[in-house]
Amino acid sequence: VKKRCDQKLLIRMKTKCVPCSLNLDTQCPAGYTKITNGTGTPDCRYHLEIKTYTLSLPGCRHRCVKEFEQPECCQGHWGPDCMGK
């Protein structure tokens, strides 16, 4: 009888918004896989400060995913070792 029924979770995140031309080499954090290509997705704005002014400019970011396994016992089992009846 199967005691463990671990659940697979997908954790999603986005990299920091930067100028699209600088986003080609942006990497996802360790353990994450990049799911966007090229310059990424142009769906954000970044801020550029010039003396006393702050400009809000369109930018790009990458989407990243990480698969995570959540330990879980099957129905009728419990505890750290998923003991049964």
Side-chain angles (χ1 to χ4, degrees):
V1 177
K2 193 175 172 190
K3 297 191 290 185
R4 297 204 63 84
C5 289
D6 296 344
Q7 296 293 315
K8 283 193 178 184
L9 302 174
L10 211 54
I11 301 168
R12 300 172 193 270
M13 60 92 55
K14 293 178 182 176
T15 59
K16 185 178 160 191
C17 188
V18 296
C20 295
S21 59
L22 300 178
N23 205 33
L24 276 169
D25 296 327
T26 298
Q27 297 299 312
C28 292
Y32 284 81
T33 303
K34 193 190 294 185
I35 59 169
T36 45
N37 297 316
T39 58
T41 310
D43 66 348
C44 61
R45 298 187 78 76
Y46 68 96
H47 297 98
L48 181 64
E49 290 183 27
I50 304 172
K51 296 193 179 186
T52 57
Y53 297 100
T54 300
L55 300 176
S56 177
L57 301 166
C60 292
R61 57 188 171 180
H62 284 290
R63 286 199 290 265
C64 309
V65 293
K66 179 181 185 178
E67 204 172 81
F68 176 74
E69 202 159 275
Q70 175 82 31
E72 209 168 286
C73 297
C74 294
Q75 193 171 353
H77 295 82
W78 63 89
D81 298 322
C82 294
M83 299 302 289
K85 297 173 187 166

